[in-house]
Amino acid sequence: MSKSTDERGRIYLPKDVRERFGDQYRIVELPSHVALFPVDDDPVEGLRDAVGDAFEGDDADQLKPDARKRITEDVQGEVESRSEDHED
């Protein structure tokens, strides 16, 4: 799906997208693109619904820094991969 911003920089999501994912999104700026991630009313509960008991027993305060570290590593790997592709 491709969308353009209006003169004020707004993006309008189609009704079916809003009905499926909700009305609140987190905008994540990455080196190569921008991503929208739906935000649940209760993000922790949304995570539990998505992954079940995968994090049961884990320290919630440590999950966020661990996730940020992993995302940073993944993005750096993607950037390096793209850089290598452009060198060929």
Side-chain angles (χ1 to χ4, degrees), residues 8-9 12 16 20 24 28 30 32-33 36-37 39 41 46-47 49 53-54 58 68 72 80 82-83 86-87:
R8 294 181 67 190
Y12 294 93
D16 61 320
R20 183 173 175 198
Q24 292 188 7
V28 179
L30 301 168
S32 60
H33 61 281
L36 296 177
F37 292 94
V39 175
D41 291 333
L47 179 62
D49 290 344
D53 61 357
D58 287 343
R68 283 186 172 156
T72 299
E80 289 171 7
R82 288 182 183 204
S83 295
H86 291 292
E87 290 175 5

Side-chain angles (χ1 to χ4, degrees), residues 5-43:
T5 60
D6 68 9
E7 67 278 352
R8 294 181 67 190
R10 296 176 293 200
I11 297 173
Y12 294 93
L13 299 176
K15 182 178 180 181
D16 61 320
V17 171
R18 294 190 317 270
E19 287 175 346
R20 183 173 175 198
F21 296 105
D23 292 323
Q24 292 188 7
Y25 295 83
R26 177 167 301 280
I27 300 170
V28 179
E29 296 179 54
L30 301 168
S32 60
H33 61 281
V34 174
L36 296 177
F37 292 94
V39 175
D40 292 311
D41 291 333
D42 180 355

Side-chain angles (χ1 to χ4, degrees), residues 47 55 58-69:
L47 179 62
F55 296 108
D58 287 343
D59 178 15
D61 292 333
Q62 188 58 39
L63 291 175
K64 191 172 186 178
D66 289 348
R68 283 186 172 156
K69 180 181 176 188

